[in-house]
Amino acid sequence: MPTPTGGLLAPFVASRADAPDGLRLVRLPFVPEIRLHLADDAILLRARMEAQAGWSVTPFWATAWAGGQALARYILDHPRVTAGRRVLDVASGSGLVAIAAAKAGAAEVTANDIDPYAEAAAAMNATANAVTIAVNGDDVLDGDGGDADVILAGDAFYDSELAARMLAFLRRAADRGAAVLVGDPDRGHLPPDWPKITSYRVRGLGAAEDAELTEVSVLGPGR
């Protein structure tokens, strides 16, 4: 499907500099080629969204997580990884990694996330960066990534249950010949046989709870 407008989130884009409970379009210091609509204060944004929606909302997509930033940095620095290829960004969140792949010359990019707000965020951020991506809200983790040549997952290993499903999915994708890359700041759910392709020394990258992180890596599946 073509990139939608992201209008679902339009009411939450801050219209004033002193509005701390909205989204603001910012450039990422670690990935300055890309701008994202991010929360000034994710807790306040969550409270505002839940008050308006009437149900629980967890806006993971309103933060540029460290693993996603590392993977986006790697793709932009090594465009041959995705250039001319069909790319699937799983658990896409803000769409950061998908946008990086599009900027690096991918033939097709799909940002996949089961959260409809994340789909809207990816669409809105793609528009802000003048790239075209598709968005998909299906749960794809029981498959093998279809016809995607490259499967990307940025900071998708923050929960043991999700990590187990994600690992099985990525191994199936790799077994059918897809290139698989993940960005992860060692949250403890990746198996030790996944070799590091590169690592970045960082400080204060991504979410407030990751303020003490000093390293984030890009990895591929072990054999």
Side-chain angles (χ1 to χ4, degrees), residues 145 161 196:
E161 183 177 349
K196 292 182 180 179

Side-chain angles (χ1 to χ4, degrees), residues 81 85-86 88 148-152 170 173-174 176-181 221:
V81 172
R85 308 177 82 180
R86 296 182 297 270
L88 175 63
D149 304 308
V150 182
I151 311 288
L152 305 172
L170 294 177
R176 68 160 177 82
V180 172
L181 291 174

Side-chain angles (χ1 to χ4, degrees), residues 13-95:
V13 176
S15 58
R16 305 191 327 269
D18 61 346
D21 60 351
L23 299 166
R24 202 174 309 280
L25 186 62
V26 298
R27 195 172 298 279
L28 303 177
F30 195 64
V31 194
E33 300 93 329
I34 294 176
R35 299 187 302 163
L36 297 177
H37 290 87
L38 301 178
D40 281 336
D41 186 317
I43 295 174
L44 291 179
L45 175 65
R46 177 177 182 171
R48 178 183 171 194
M49 293 186 71
E50 289 183 343
Q52 294 193 23
W55 60 78
S56 179
V57 175
T58 305
F60 290 126
W61 44 267
T63 296
W65 297 91
Q69 290 199 53
L71 188 52
R73 179 72 272 150
Y74 182 81
I75 290 166
L76 290 169
D77 289 343
H78 303 84
R80 67 184 183 280
V81 172
T82 57
R85 308 177 82 180
R86 296 182 297 270
V87 175
L88 175 63
D89 176 27
V90 188
S92 186
S94 67

